[in-house]
Amino acid sequence: MESLFLLIPISLVLIGLLVWILNWSIKSGQFDDLDGPGEAILMDDDTPTLPKVSEHSH
C-alpha cells in the first residue's frame, strides 16, 4: 500500500510529460505530412545524364 503513494504520483507525472510531448509535436507540425517522406523515396530521379563532352577530345 505504501508503494502506491510513490507509484501513483510518478505515473501521473509521466502521463503529464507524455501529453505535453504529444501536444508539442502536434503544434510544431510533426504530423502534417505523413505520406510525403515515404512517397519521396519512390519518386527517385532516374533520368540518365549525358556525359559532358570535353572540348579537347578528338
Side-chain angles (χ1 to χ4, degrees):
M1 186 68 184
E2 292 178 9
S3 64
L4 289 179
F5 293 130
L6 179 64
L7 291 176
I8 290 175
I10 290 175
S11 65
L12 291 176
V13 168
L14 183 62
I15 289 171
L17 181 66
L18 292 174
V19 167
W20 180 78
I21 291 172
L22 179 65
N23 190 21
W24 170 82
S25 64
I26 290 171
K27 287 185 177 184
S28 68
Q30 296 292 322
F31 298 110
D32 285 348
D33 185 17
L34 297 177
D35 296 329
E39 292 174 358
I41 297 172
L42 300 174
M43 300 300 170
D44 194 19
D45 186 18
D46 290 336
T47 56
T49 58
L50 298 175
K52 294 183 179 183
V53 177
S54 175
E55 294 178 9
H56 299 292
S57 64
H58 282 79

